[in-house]
Amino acid sequence: MKNIYSEDAFTGLEAAIVLIAFVVVAAVFSYVVLGAGFFTSQTAQATVHTGVSQASSSLEVVGNVVGISTFPTVSPYRLTYTNISLALTAGGTPMDLTQMVISYNDGASRNANVLNNTAGINTCTNVFIDQTLANQRWCVSQKINDVNPSSPNDLLEPNEIWVISIGMPPTAAINQKINVNLQPAVGAVLPITRTIPGGLNPVQAIY
C-alpha cells in the first residue's frame, strides 16, 4: 500500500521556526545596538553640556591686582589686604561667588580655604584689619555696573565687575611671591601669582 503521508509540511514548519529564531535574534541584537548607541549619544551630549558649562563659567581679572598696606614705612613691611577686580569671561553665565573657594600660598604660609564672613560675602568685617592665617577672610568690597544695586545678591552677572578683598597674613611681606587660586563651583580655576615689591606704598599695584 502506498504511503500517503508527506514530509513537506514538517519541512515548512522547521523553516518557519528557523526564520522566527533569526528574526528574534536580529531584533534582540538591534535593540542592544540601539541601546548602546543611545547611551553613547547621551554620554556625548552630557560631555558637551559639561564642556559648555565649564567654558561659560569662568572668571577673569580686570585691571591690576592692588595691594593695600597699613605698614608702608614701619616694620613689618607687608600687605594688609589685596583688591582683585573680577568679571565673567565673554558670554559667561551668572556665577554664585558664595560657592567659590579661595586658596592662598606665599611659600611661608598656606591656606587651602580662605573663608568669607558668616554674614555673607557682601560684608567686609574683619577683612581690612591685620589678620592671622587662621583668621584669613575675603569679601566683595565693591560692585561696579551692578545690575541690581537696590537688591544686593551673590551672583556675579555679565558686564558686572566685582572687587574682592582678601586679607593677607603676616607672611605677605616685601619681595614675597603670593599665589591666590579662585575655584568657582563650576568652571576653571583662576590662578593669580604676584610678587610683593621691595618698597611698599599705602596703595600698591602688584605685578
Side-chain angles (χ1 to χ4, degrees):
M1 181 177 181
K2 184 178 180 181
N3 187 0
I4 61 175
Y5 297 102
S6 174
E7 298 292 334
D8 293 341
F10 288 102
T11 302
L13 181 61
E14 292 171 354
I17 293 174
V18 172
L19 178 61
I20 292 172
F22 273 115
V23 171
V24 170
V25 171
V28 172
F29 181 73
S30 299
Y31 177 78
V32 172
V33 171
L34 288 175
F38 288 143
F39 176 77
T40 303
S41 176
Q42 290 172 352
T43 302
Q45 186 179 26
T47 302
V48 171
H49 286 170
T50 301
V52 171
S53 176
Q54 293 277 350
S56 64
S57 300
S58 298
L59 296 169
E60 64 178 352
V61 176
V62 180
N64 294 326
V65 175
V66 178
I68 310 298
S69 175
T70 57
F71 301 93
T73 58
V74 179
S75 179
Y77 310 110
R78 68 178 185 85
L79 294 182
T80 305
Y81 62 93
T82 58
N83 286 337
I84 303 173
S85 300
L86 297 177
L88 297 173
T89 54
T93 56
M95 182 182 297
D96 184 0
L97 291 193
T98 60
Q99 305 299 315
M100 182 171 65
V101 176
I102 297 180
S103 61
Y104 173 86
N105 184 13
D106 62 18
S109 297
R110 182 178 183 276
N111 192 342
N113 185 16
V114 179
L115 301 176
N116 57 55
N117 292 290
T118 55
I121 63 174
N122 296 299
T123 303
C124 287
T125 307
N126 298 328
V127 171
F128 304 135
I129 62 174
D130 305 327
Q131 297 187 35
T132 63
L133 190 68
N135 191 41
Q136 196 174 10
R137 296 286 186 272
W138 73 274
C139 71
V140 178
S141 56
Q142 185 180 4
K143 296 181 179 180
I144 303 170
N145 299 330
D146 191 0
V147 176
N148 301 299
S150 60
S151 180
N153 58 60
D154 301 326
L155 290 177
L156 175 60
E157 300 181 77
N159 301 320
E160 291 184 343
I161 299 175
W162 285 14
V163 180
I164 68 169
S165 297
I166 305 174
M168 293 286 106
T171 51
I174 58 174
N175 299 318
Q176 185 73 50
K177 179 180 288 186
I178 61 174
N179 300 284
V180 176
N181 286 333
L182 309 180
Q183 173 64 73
V186 178
V189 176
L190 175 61
I192 301 172
T193 301
R194 297 290 188 275
T195 300
I196 302 173
L200 286 179
N201 297 313
V203 179
Q204 177 77 54
I206 306 175
Y207 300 98

